């Protein structure tokens, strides 16, 4: 499989907490996976065309003020898929860590794709929308939902679920705390696992043995958690995974621009 790292929506500029890294815009880190038999698989969508064109309607004015998105059409997943020579219909599956606006805004751009998400997340989104977190415009087209419970087979000490219709190289890895049904998404590239941790953590130094949260990103992280203890426990388990299985698994979060720069290059 061929895996592309895509930034599908730059947001406000942030500074690193130590010297040697540039200040840069936070990202919405997505993966586009070319599979031999199952078409294109998109992991997260970032912001979509409607978000760029009508942000106050689809994203909400409060979120726009907080995140300060760049709103660049060429950064949408659809436009990046097209630049690679594909069409929207070639994206047959979308896996989302959760349904916050910046993670699923591009769903309407791929109306024919099956959308894989934890059942608890879909229920929370439908129940709570509209809110700063969940915007019904992102699923008003009636996605082909495929939902899952939060339990499954063991994967490096985490529960894991194989999404229906996809090969064993894809797994949903539930990681609670940020939202009601937050999950990581693991993809095997033929050599090692890539683990998209969504918003289970925000900044690469949170995985250090002596963790250091980012002062700005941590405001967002703590302000949006639904279960503090579960979120903290998830991060502790990710720290162990990063320490004990570094040769087998590469972890990254949704918004850390320095992780994205390293992996995209």
């Amino acid at each position: 499989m061929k895996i592309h790292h895509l930034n599908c929506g730059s947001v406000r500029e942030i500074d690193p907490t130590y010297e040697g890294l540039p200040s840069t815009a936070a990202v919405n880190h997505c993966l586009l996976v070319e599979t031999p038999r199952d078409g294109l698989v998109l992991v997260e969508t970032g912001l979509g065309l409607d978000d760029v064109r009508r942000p106050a309607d689809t994203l909400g004015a409060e979120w726009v003020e907080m995140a300060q998105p760049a709103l660049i059409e060429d950064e949408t997943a659809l436009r990046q898929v097209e630049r690679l020579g594909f069409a929207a219909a070639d994206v047959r599956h979308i896996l989302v860590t959760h349904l916050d606006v910046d993670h699923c805004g591009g769903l309407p751009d791929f109306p024919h794709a099956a959308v894989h998400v934890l059942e608890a997340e879909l229920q929370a989104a439908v129940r709570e929308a509209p809110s700063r977190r969940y915007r019904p415009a992102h699923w008003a087209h009636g996605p082909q939902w495929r939902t899952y419970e939060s339990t499954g087979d063991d994967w490096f000490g985490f529960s894991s679920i194989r999404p229906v219709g996809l090969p064993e190289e894809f797994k949903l890895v539930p990681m609670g705390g940020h939202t009601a049904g937050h999950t990581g998404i693991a993809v095997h590239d033929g050599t090692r696992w890539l683990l998209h941790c969504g918003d289970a953590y925000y900044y690469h130094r949170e995985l250090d043995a002596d963790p250091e949260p980012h002062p700005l990103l941590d405001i967002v992280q703590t302000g949006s958690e639904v279960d503090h203890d579960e979120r903290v426990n998830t991060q502790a388990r990710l720290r162990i995974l990063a320490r004990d299985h570094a040769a087998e698994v590469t972890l990254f979060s949704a918004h850390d621009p320095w992780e994205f720069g390293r992996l995209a290059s």
Side-chain angles (χ1 to χ4, degrees), residues 30 35 66-67 82 90 93 118 134 186 206 225 229 234 260:
C30 303
T35 73
M66 180 273 295
E82 291 172 339
D90 295 321
H93 297 271
L118 292 189
Y134 300 125
E206 290 179 279
E225 65 189 9
D229 291 343
T234 292
F260 174 78

Side-chain angles (χ1 to χ4, degrees), residues 58-257:
T58 61
L59 297 171
E62 185 181 1
W63 187 89
V64 171
E65 181 179 4
M66 180 273 295
Q68 299 177 15
L71 302 175
I72 300 170
E73 184 167 320
D74 281 349
E75 285 189 344
T76 63
L78 177 58
R79 294 294 181 247
Q80 296 191 65
V81 165
E82 291 172 339
R83 283 201 299 277
L84 289 168
F86 301 104
D90 295 321
V91 176
R92 294 171 53 186
H93 297 271
I94 298 174
L95 290 76
V96 288
T97 61
H98 60 301
L99 293 171
D100 277 359
V101 295
D102 48 341
H103 294 260
C104 72
L107 288 181
D109 297 332
F110 305 97
H112 304 295
V115 182
H116 304 262
V117 64
L118 292 189
E119 175 67 25
E121 183 67 13
L122 181 58
Q123 289 185 3
V126 172
R127 181 175 64 249
E128 297 174 21
S131 64
R132 187 177 74 174
R133 160 159 273 162
Y134 300 125
R135 305 294 292 183
H138 293 148
W139 54 82
H141 62 289
Q144 302 175 46
W145 300 112
R146 294 186 183 175
T147 61
Y148 306 87
E149 300 300 322
S150 298
T151 57
D153 299 329
D154 180 75
W155 183 84
F156 296 105
F158 284 81
S159 175
S160 72
I161 304 108
R162 177 175 168 181
V164 173
L166 285 171
E168 60 186 11
E169 286 87 357
F170 293 88
K171 294 184 183 296
L172 301 179
V173 184
M175 298 177 182
H178 179 66
T179 64
H182 185 276
T183 183
I185 298 166
V187 183
H188 200 276
D189 67 1
T191 303
R192 59 189 293 115
W193 289 98
L194 295 174
L195 179 59
H196 193 311
C197 297
D199 288 354
Y201 75 96
Y202 276 62
Y203 183 51
H204 55 278
R205 281 202 162 183
E206 290 179 279
L207 296 184
D208 290 350
D210 185 15
E212 177 190 8
H214 188 280
L216 180 58
L217 295 176
D218 199 47
I219 293 173
V220 180
Q221 177 170 232
T222 56
S224 57
E225 65 189 9
V226 299
D227 189 319
H228 175 77
D229 291 343
E230 189 173 10
R231 180 183 66 78
V232 170
N233 179 61
T234 292
Q235 283 193 2
R237 295 169 67 203
L238 288 174
R239 221 166 278 128
I240 294 170
L241 176 61
R243 181 195 68 198
D244 293 350
H245 298 283
E248 301 159 277
V249 185
T250 296
L251 291 77
F252 60 94
S253 69
H255 303 300
D256 187 312

